[in-house]
Amino acid sequence: MTGGARAFSLAVLHFAGLTACSAPDRTARIEPPAPVWAAGLSVDAAREAHRQAELRHHLRHLEAVKPRWLLDATARALSPERIARGDFAPWELHEAGRLLFEHEHTFADGLGSPFRRVHKGRSGGPETTSCGSCHWRGGPAGAGSLQDSSFVLGDGDTVSSADPRNPPSLQGAGAVELLAAEMSAELQSARDELLARARREGKEIEGKLSAKGISFGVLRAKPSGEIDASHLEGVDPDLVIKPFGWKGTFATLRSFVVESLQQHFGIQAEELVARHRSSPDPELLGGGADPEDPDGDGVRSELTEGQLTALVSFLAMQELPVVRPQEAWHGAEPAAPSLIAPTATVFADDWARGREVFASAGCSSCHVPKLILQSPVFRTRGERSGAVTEIDLSKHAESPRLERDPLADGYPVWLFSDLKRHDMGREAASRHVDHGVPREAYLTRRLWGLASSPPYFYDGHAPWLDHAISAHGGEASESRSKFNALSREDRGALRVYLLSLRRERRVMVP
Amino acid sequence: MVPPDGVILEQLSEALELKLRDDFDRALDAVDPGELLEHATLTQTAVDRGVFGLDALFVVGDELFDYEFRPEQGLGNALAGRLGTEAGPRHAPNLRRVHGGELGGPDSHNCSTCHSKGGLDGAGHNTQNAFLRGDGDSTRSADIRNPPHVLGLGPVEALAREMTLELQSIRDRALKTAAESGKPVEAVLAAKGVSFGSITALPGGALDTKKVEGVDPDLVVKPFGWKGHQATIRGMVEESFRIHLGIVSTADQSRLRDGKLDAKDLGDGPWYDPDRDGVALEVDEGMLTTLTAYLAQLEAPIVKPPQTPDLADAFARGRALFDRAGCASCHRPFLGLENVVLELRPTDPEYADRPPIRVNVAEDGEQPKIEPQNGRRTAYNVHLLSDLKRHDMGPGLATPKPQRGIPPAVFLTRPLWGLAFAAPYLHDGRAPTVDDAIRLHGGEAAQARDAYTALATEDRAALQVFLLSQTRQPKVQIP
């Protein structure tokens, strides 16, 4: 590396709080500069966005001078020992994670080859080089457009062999994982109680299961310790709520990220490779002769445990979308001299009415507006070292973040989902059973941030709200019929309400 | 360098105004569906009345570029079949990720989502590749194209027009001399210092175009599309509407009615609804005009050399190596532009007599712009890094099929300005890095490629640092 590049690299790493990598024997931690959490539309936030753009520009140059620059630097710095020791503040992990999220992988990094737009079975594409390429709409870590949809579980060539999946927006992912974990715990302790009772009473016991007020059907416990899960609803027999993936297939961000990296750009995380060594899964990873390099591209250790922890932390710390009615806009100037200025219109009444319609049409029975979270502490555990990273999302996440509401006795999360799977009817059925989830079943999509993430539906076919609502079937057929029967005014009101589910306005410099 | 607060504040308020307007229009549209498109549409008649300035066309075009079209507005067609992802009887625009022949997809709802990488009006990522001229299903059957960024199109069209004029006037002079002398006249074709072979004029007024190089026999320089098949921004907009959104222009309908267009490209329906989706008026000529005027006014890319001494040094060496390795012989660092006023005319014969819209590509619309040569006010240098000529790139890069008569291995020299944010590279996005892209050059570029691969590692890096400084002005956006 040239001297100039080195000087700069140190500056970058210092900012990312990773400087101590040049002095591995140092035990005392340098106090890093205070985090820049400038949010919203301030000049501070814009300055910070410009700084990030400058950094991006420089990183491109550094990668040209020394391929693998970013991956090597972050792999060195983010050692499991340092993470376990708590050397990194949450925002430092977030910064490193952001760089990795934006990083466009190259063949030297371990990117798969050649590109394959339609996935081949579980092994995937690769069809892209970075996370940010498909998660961008509505802002950083946003959603994907129609073109960005993945074609999963296909034959590697034809679209008709695969299931299209539109990239969802990643906001609030940490809170979602926590909600799901609390719900799983609730369901599992109910199961354990039923089993204990069945054993005690020596007969089969039946009990209704629910978590955070959401019903998940009926579980039968037998004295033998077996369970009959055939009357469960919307959750797997293991009673683990899996809130990630359109069909609800992943319980944790970590597992979701690991598989996404493999399928979308052929980057094999160390953890995945380690798991492969103990229980081989060549269908997912490939059958390379080198056990450390299953995809046989000559690159080992394509993503270290520490890098994965940084990526997961970045995602967990994503802002929460907001519910913000459209403001009236008085006294607006025309956009150009010859155009007419927008007339001041107040949408408050429409919004209020839309909120009623959302409930009366039955939308809110699955798209449950809010769930209450008990603990805001996010944990992710490195599989190999066992190092646990803890982040209090109510303190360290991007803004807007979790806030405790004393009246609710917890942290309200306005996600508009019950985190439960439902039958969406034959029309919406996928071509393949995905991770054991039946073809008609989908997880209730979280509607938060919806205004910032068109198009809609699992395949992104719906350019607008009406098309998405019309595509509901199965358990949602009745609500769809109610929507179709609404008056023009009520439909308008419902749309105004739905469009208030959006991301806080924020600046970026691409 | 982070710009001073004053500049940031200005960028911020501009971006905010855009965002507020956008949100507001979306809310109006929610109450009254159709409102949004109405706001994003100026009819050709309204444009012709001349009350709308270029500013208004820019604002409205900006909104239209981002507008998500819906089936009820003509998105898609009834002809795409149902092979694609949206099988089933539900209300859907028959989306088709892999195009079916010349009829296209549709594979998109709008323009902006494939031109978004690196910011508004940017490039497309691998996932946004278009699969053209396929069988409607198999990605391998298709001709893959990566969406290029759309900055600086105004100056490029203006350059191409001047080059066309130059070539055609050489041809016309040769024809005149041949007629006068009664002997065949071979004339060397060159425009802006770029050689296009030669043309032979025969005394009877016929032309021998066998030795014409890098341009069609009509000598019209077509700077748009990876293979250089479109001469104008308007043509590109119209074609994209049709193949990517299944939205047919009134101009195409008129051409179809008058028998000037091959019906099979548009569908087998009546001329007023060839794609049989039940929507007759899909793109008013005014929409094309608005979008064209918008695109012609977009900013030009810039060069942003690195700030650290070593990298700046590499940049300077890279610039010299770019010439020495022979890259610059096709990727001409700049072309001079004399006439910066672009006249945009409607193409629908119904509007043939309407006055053109004049865009000064060095002044109108978004900053930054192309800069005058050495402070002179009459001529400009366009630093596009292309000769706007087609070249044979060898069998390795050849497309599965010819496109509008352009052979599989032939491509237009890709303008490299704005390259830094526009990865992946090459026509189908197969090259994640600049290094990969250079190594994949073949055919006429084989020699330059070999010169590059023969360089020392740090020289190859320097050349990449130079190229990766071709970027755009960083600006605040509110997504």
Side-chain angles (χ1 to χ4, degrees), chain A residues 191-506:
Chain A
R191 173 194 62 195
D192 294 347
E193 246 168 65
L194 283 177
L195 279 171
R197 262 185 64 201
R199 246 193 320 272
R200 210 164 48 233
E201 298 177 18
K203 59 174 186 183
E204 189 172 298
I205 301 278
E206 188 179 282
K208 287 184 182 170
L209 287 192
S210 75
K212 296 201 185 289
I214 312 291
S215 160
F216 286 89
V218 171
L219 188 74
R220 295 204 181 106
K222 297 176 181 170
S224 62
E226 283 169 60
I227 56 164
D228 172 2
S230 58
H231 290 81
L232 276 182
E233 282 169 18
V235 64
D236 291 327
D238 62 5
L239 299 179
V240 175
I241 302 283
K242 304 184 180 79
F244 301 113
W246 280 95
K247 288 168 97 63
T249 43
F250 293 93
T252 63
L253 280 171
R254 200 169 184 103
S255 58
F256 181 72
V257 169
V258 162
E259 195 167 311
S260 298
L261 292 175
Q262 159 67 35
Q263 294 183 333
H264 299 304
F265 29 105
I267 292 289
Q268 307 194 306
E270 276 182 349
E271 284 184 17
L272 191 66
V273 175
R275 231 179 291 157
H276 174 67
R277 278 203 305 276
S278 51
S279 58
D281 188 357
E283 191 195 324
L284 180 68
L285 286 106
D290 179 356
E292 294 281 348
D293 178 24
D295 60 5
D297 59 7
V299 184
R300 290 176 166 193
S301 207
E302 295 177 345
L303 195 89
T304 67
E305 184 180 306
Q307 287 169 325
L308 181 58
T309 295
L311 254 179
V312 169
S313 305
F314 168 73
L315 293 176
M317 291 165 75
Q318 286 299 305
E319 76 200 57
L320 301 182
V322 294
V323 183
R324 188 141 305 162
Q326 172 65 36
E327 59 269 70
W329 197 14
H330 300 284
E333 299 283 318
S338 49
L339 296 177
I340 302 160
T343 43
T345 306
V346 180
F347 296 95
D349 287 345
D350 294 299
W351 185 80
R353 185 166 170 184
R355 188 178 162 283
E356 298 304 313
V357 174
F358 187 73
S360 64
C363 312
S364 60
S365 68
C366 294
H367 294 288
V368 175
K370 74 174 164 186
L371 296 175
I372 308 290
L373 180 69
Q374 297 305 318
S375 163
V377 180
F378 178 89
R379 289 182 186 81
T380 184
R381 183 176 167 278
E383 257 178 46
R384 301 183 78 187
S385 70
V388 174
T389 303
E390 271 193 9
I391 302 168
D392 183 339
L393 298 181
S394 69
K395 293 202 179 84
H396 303 296
E398 291 177 19
S399 167
R401 61 180 86 90
L402 292 169
E403 270 180 52
R404 190 177 160 75
D405 176 359
L407 293 178
D409 194 25
Y411 299 79
V413 184
W414 290 83
L415 77 171
F416 293 83
S417 166
D418 55 7
L419 298 184
K420 179 178 167 183
R421 291 193 204 116
H422 296 273
D423 185 320
M424 293 302 288
R426 217 162 42 85
E427 278 176 36
S430 56
R431 292 189 174 92
H432 302 280
V433 172
D434 185 2
H435 291 79
V437 181
R439 296 176 55 225
E440 288 84 6
Y442 290 87
L443 190 85
T444 306
R445 189 70 224 152
R446 300 180 276 282
L447 297 186
W448 58 0
L450 159 158
S452 316
S453 64
Y456 306 112
F457 241 61
Y458 62 89
D459 55 4
H461 85 270
W464 200 43
L465 305 168
D466 288 28
H467 310 108
I469 298 170
S470 315
H472 280 62
E475 294 178 38
S477 305
E478 203 183 324
S479 291
R480 176 182 57 186
S481 307
K482 282 186 184 162
F483 172 78
N484 288 337
L486 289 177
S487 69
R488 182 184 159 83
E489 289 72 25
D490 281 346
R491 277 195 202 206
L494 180 64
R495 291 189 207 103
V496 169
Y497 177 65
L498 288 173
L499 286 180
S500 73
L501 314 185
R502 49 172 147 166
R503 284 177 78 167
E504 189 90 275
R505 290 188 188 119
R506 61 185 287 166

Side-chain angles (χ1 to χ4, degrees), chain B residues 33-247:
Chain B
E35 186 86 14
L36 185 53
L37 188 59
E38 243 169 69
H39 281 222
T41 309
L42 302 175
T43 61
Q44 186 63 34
T45 312
V47 171
D48 289 339
R49 258 187 250 125
V51 288
F52 298 114
L54 286 173
D55 289 353
L57 291 176
F58 187 88
V59 170
V60 177
D62 184 48
E63 213 159 325
L64 198 51
F65 194 74
D66 194 37
Y67 181 75
E68 241 126 26
F69 282 85
R70 304 168 189 168
E72 53 271 32
Q73 290 148 357
L75 175 74
N77 52 61
L79 303 158
R82 294 181 179 261
L83 248 182
T85 64
E86 273 64 44
R90 82 178 116 92
H91 184 60
N94 278 335
L95 297 170
R96 193 160 56 171
R97 191 65 182 85
V98 174
H99 288 199
E102 292 292 333
L103 188 60
D107 54 5
S108 183
H109 294 132
N110 64 4
C111 312
S112 66
T113 48
C114 287
H115 298 285
S116 57
K117 190 168 184 282
L120 301 173
D121 315 301
H125 212 287
N126 300 65
T127 48
Q128 291 154 0
N129 283 349
F131 293 81
L132 308 180
R133 292 175 286 282
D135 64 3
D137 189 30
S138 158
T139 50
R140 277 188 217 125
S141 73
D143 201 350
I144 306 177
R145 289 289 184 279
N146 186 244
H149 73 73
V150 295
L151 305 183
L153 300 189
V156 171
E157 179 169 339
L159 279 173
R161 283 194 190 188
E162 285 188 353
M163 291 170 82
T164 300
L165 279 177
E166 209 174 330
L167 295 178
Q168 291 182 346
S169 76
I170 294 172
R171 175 195 66 191
D172 295 348
R173 274 200 306 276
L175 278 171
K176 193 157 169 262
T177 319
E180 282 166 8
S181 66
K183 280 183 264 176
V185 174
E186 181 172 356
V188 172
L189 289 172
K192 300 198 184 292
V194 178
S195 158
F196 286 89
S198 68
I199 195 165
T200 303
L202 303 172
L207 290 164
D208 178 354
T209 56
K210 278 199 289 291
K211 290 186 185 165
V212 172
E213 281 170 19
V215 64
D216 287 328
D218 62 5
L219 303 184
V220 175
V221 174
K222 305 185 179 78
F224 301 121
W226 280 94
K227 283 174 172 276
H229 72 284
Q230 279 284 4
T232 61
I233 299 171
R234 191 184 200 94
M236 208 66 206
V237 169
E238 193 174 8
E239 175 187 325
S240 302
F241 259 124
R242 184 168 58 77
I243 66 172
H244 295 304
L245 286 90
I247 287 184

